[in-house]
């Protein structure tokens, strides 16, 4: 069977360093940190008192007040980012076969704040169950793509992928394969997350997963630096419109790049820690290269998972050296989490977008906050430290990994 070609025709972003694609890209190339003290609740007694929250975002500017009250933040974020991507792609439902347009979304947790608040309210009462009738539909992770399809009339495949921090990367790979196999013409994909909450911060603190650099939040996310002490929790959404190539050409769509492959693997090692030698990461990148039909030496850029954790960063870079050999030192490697923080289930989407924008603009955003060398990291690797670097990018990979050992890697190629 001849697989269809798949391209990206629309992008949308809502991030801690920019509330649309243009703002997000400006934040990336200028090395802006999105980390700051938490404003959503009183975090004075928490081990970590900062996060990468959205800035200057008012949901009423995008969604009717009555509608927004029926959505958890993660679903609101999904709507805003997908609206931008759909508009960017120029999708008009009356010009499409609505049964061949789907929505495949990623969320690692879903409506955490809704769940948290309903339980707190119940516990504060006298035992009488007084729950909001929208409690369940606000909370469930699949409601984000449901809302997107309802608003736009898309009647193709519609569901959410859940694989912790790899969720939106898995959603994009599913979308790629549905179109490749001829089941759909267009799929809106990506992911959203809104876990900067009492439960989210408290839970990740209990795992010792978060940085506690409270005296300097803006420098806390420092991937590859020897003094890194955990990730910084972020929130937001990223959306991409994936489309069959001939379908996109026929309607004169703008094309960002071709999606040439995706790989998946499992560490099969530990609930939260990566394999120290990066065996699952080696496998997922090899799987992706094979699926994309490209050789290691064709890769110009890798946006790493790069969370700023002591174990994860070393394992991933070991894996890159193993897979790419001597060519690894010619690749521009970076971690945009140094700026955005870790958006959990939305990470794969916003980082794939960062790779696409880097390809489009021939600029690799920096890995900021690096000051001290880690002797466990290969010094020959170009980690794009502290300053953006100009270079032609023809092929880029985006790595995303999740608790439970879930690994995903996506490959993009410049369309010529």
């Amino acid at each position: 069977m001849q697989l269809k070609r798949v391209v990206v025709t629309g992008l949308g972003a809502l991030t801690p360093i920019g509330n649309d694609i243009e703002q997000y890209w400006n934040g990336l190339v200028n090395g802006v940190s999105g980390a700051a003290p938490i404003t959503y609740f009183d975090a004075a007694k928490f081990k970590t008192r900062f996060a990468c929250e959205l800035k200057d975002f008012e949901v009423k500017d995008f969604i009717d007040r009555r509608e927004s009250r029926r959505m958890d933040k993660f679903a609101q974020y999904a709507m805003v980012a997908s609206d931008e991507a759909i508009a960017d792609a120029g999708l008009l439902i009356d010009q499409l076969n609505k049964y061949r347009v789907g929505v495949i979304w990623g969320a690692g947790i879903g409506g955490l704040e809704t769940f948290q608040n309903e339980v707190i309210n119940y516990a504060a009462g006298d035992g009488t169950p007084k729950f909001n009738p929208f409690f369940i539909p606000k909370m469930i992770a699949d409601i984000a793509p449901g809302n997107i399809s309802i608003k736009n009339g898309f009647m193709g495949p519609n569901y959410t992928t859940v694989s912790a921090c790899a969720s939106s990367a898995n959603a994009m790979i599913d979308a790629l394969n549905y179109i490749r196999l001829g089941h759909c013409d267009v799929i809106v994909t990506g992911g959203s997350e809104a876990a900067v909450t009492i439960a989210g911060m408290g839970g990740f603190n209990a795992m010792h997963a978060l940085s506690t650099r409270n005296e300097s939040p803006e420098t806390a996310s420092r991937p590859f630096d020897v003094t890194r002490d955990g990730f910084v929790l972020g929130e937001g959404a990223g959306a991409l419109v994936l489309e069959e190539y001939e379908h996109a050409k026929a309607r004169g769509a703008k094309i960002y790049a071709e999606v040439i492959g995706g790989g998946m693997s499992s560490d099969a090692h530990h609930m939260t820690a990566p394999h120290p030698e990066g065996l699952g990461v080696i496998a997922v990148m090899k799987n992706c290269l094979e699926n994309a039909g490209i050789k290691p030496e064709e890769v110009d850029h890798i946006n790493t998972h790069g969370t700023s954790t002591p174990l994860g960063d070393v394992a991933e870079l070991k894996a890159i050296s193993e897979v790419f050999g001597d060519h690894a030192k010619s690749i521009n490697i970076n971690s945009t989490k140094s700026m955005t923080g870790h958006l959990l289930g939305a990470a794969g989407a916003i980082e794939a977008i960062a790779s696409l924008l880097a390809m489009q603009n021939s600029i690799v955003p920096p890995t900021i906050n690096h000051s001290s060398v880690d002797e466990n990291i290969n010094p020959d690797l170009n980690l794009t430290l502290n300053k953006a670097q100009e270079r032609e990018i023809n092929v880029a990979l985006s790595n995303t990994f999740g608790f439970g050992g879930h690994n995903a890697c996506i490959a993009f190629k410049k369309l010529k």
Side-chain angles (χ1 to χ4, degrees), residues 288-310:
C288 186
L289 293 173
E290 181 180 358
N291 187 256
I294 57 174
K295 298 176 182 178
E297 55 267 28
E298 294 181 67
V299 175
D300 302 305
H301 166 51
I302 301 175
N303 189 311
T304 64
H305 186 57
T307 57
S308 189
T309 57

Side-chain angles (χ1 to χ4, degrees), residues 240-358:
L240 303 89
V241 174
L242 269 54
E243 187 167 353
E244 194 272 322
Y245 174 58
E246 295 297 337
H247 187 275
K249 273 189 14 178
R251 67 182 190 88
K254 170 182 60 183
I255 294 175
Y256 285 95
E258 184 173 1
V259 191
I260 55 172
M264 293 177 281
S265 76
S266 176
D267 283 347
H269 173 69
H270 187 272
M271 285 175 65
T272 57
H275 191 284
E277 299 303 316
L279 297 186
V281 181
I282 291 170
V284 79
M285 288 189 289
K286 285 185 174 180
N287 290 344
C288 186
L289 293 173
E290 181 180 358
N291 187 256
I294 57 174
K295 298 176 182 178
E297 55 267 28
E298 294 181 67
V299 175
D300 302 305
H301 166 51
I302 301 175
N303 189 311
T304 64
H305 186 57
T307 57
S308 189
T309 57
L311 297 177
D313 290 5
V314 170
E316 184 173 9
L317 294 181
K318 278 185 178 179
I320 288 173
S321 292
E322 174 66 25
V323 172
F324 294 93
D326 191 56
H327 178 65
K329 63 186 180 185
S330 300
I331 299 172
N332 264 95
I333 298 165
N334 72 345
S335 171
T336 49
K337 286 187 180 73
S338 59
M339 295 171 276
T340 65
H342 191 353
L343 270 64
L344 307 181
I350 67 161
E351 289 160 21
I353 290 169
S355 293
L356 288 163
L357 294 174

Side-chain angles (χ1 to χ4, degrees), residues 82-365:
S82 62
D83 281 352
E84 183 183 12
I86 290 166
D88 186 39
L91 295 182
L92 299 172
I93 190 62
D94 58 354
Q95 297 176 9
L96 303 168
N97 181 343
K98 63 184 179 181
Y99 296 100
R100 293 182 58 83
V101 183
V103 186
I104 303 178
W105 203 253
I109 300 176
L112 183 60
E113 184 175 58
T114 294
F115 184 86
Q116 164 197 290
N117 291 345
E118 290 292 327
V119 172
I120 288 173
N121 290 340
Y122 174 73
D126 62 1
T128 303
K130 296 179 181 178
F131 289 89
N132 188 312
F134 291 102
F135 171 29
I136 299 301
K138 284 177 67 174
M139 178 197 71
I140 51 179
D142 67 300
I143 203 65
N147 285 333
I148 294 168
S149 68
I150 290 166
K151 177 176 181 178
N152 294 283
F154 302 151
M155 296 183 69
N158 184 281
Y159 62 90
T160 290
T161 57
V162 180
S163 50
C165 305
S167 297
S168 56
N170 280 129
M172 288 184 283
I173 293 172
D174 278 11
L176 165 66
N177 288 329
Y178 265 88
I179 299 171
R180 267 179 163 179
L181 294 170
H183 300 313
C184 291
D185 299 323
V186 180
I187 293 182
V188 178
T189 187
S192 56
E193 207 78 89
V196 183
T197 64
I198 293 168
M201 295 300 298
F204 282 115
N205 263 157
M207 294 175 61
H208 305 286
L210 299 179
S211 171
T212 56
R213 200 177 292 273
N214 293 299
E215 72 285 355
S216 181
E218 68 280 359
T219 68
S221 185
R222 46 180 61 204
F224 318 132
D225 191 280
V226 73
T227 62
R228 64 193 182 278
D229 69 330
F231 70 81
V232 177
L233 190 58
E235 62 168 356
L240 303 89
V241 174
L242 269 54
E243 187 167 353
E244 194 272 322
Y245 174 58
E246 295 297 337
H247 187 275
K249 273 189 14 178
R251 67 182 190 88
K254 170 182 60 183
I255 294 175
Y256 285 95
E258 184 173 1
V259 191
I260 55 172
M264 293 177 281
S265 76
S266 176
D267 283 347
H269 173 69
H270 187 272
M271 285 175 65
T272 57
H275 191 284
E277 299 303 316
L279 297 186
V281 181
I282 291 170
V284 79
M285 288 189 289
K286 285 185 174 180
N287 290 344
C288 186
L289 293 173
E290 181 180 358
N291 187 256
I294 57 174
K295 298 176 182 178
E297 55 267 28
E298 294 181 67
V299 175
D300 302 305
H301 166 51
I302 301 175
N303 189 311
T304 64
H305 186 57
T307 57
S308 189
T309 57
L311 297 177
D313 290 5
V314 170
E316 184 173 9
L317 294 181
K318 278 185 178 179
I320 288 173
S321 292
E322 174 66 25
V323 172
F324 294 93
D326 191 56
H327 178 65
K329 63 186 180 185
S330 300
I331 299 172
N332 264 95
I333 298 165
N334 72 345
S335 171
T336 49
K337 286 187 180 73
S338 59
M339 295 171 276
T340 65
H342 191 353
L343 270 64
L344 307 181
I350 67 161
E351 289 160 21
I353 290 169
S355 293
L356 288 163
L357 294 174
M359 181 179 290
Q360 183 184 46
N361 294 282
S362 298
I363 301 173
V364 180

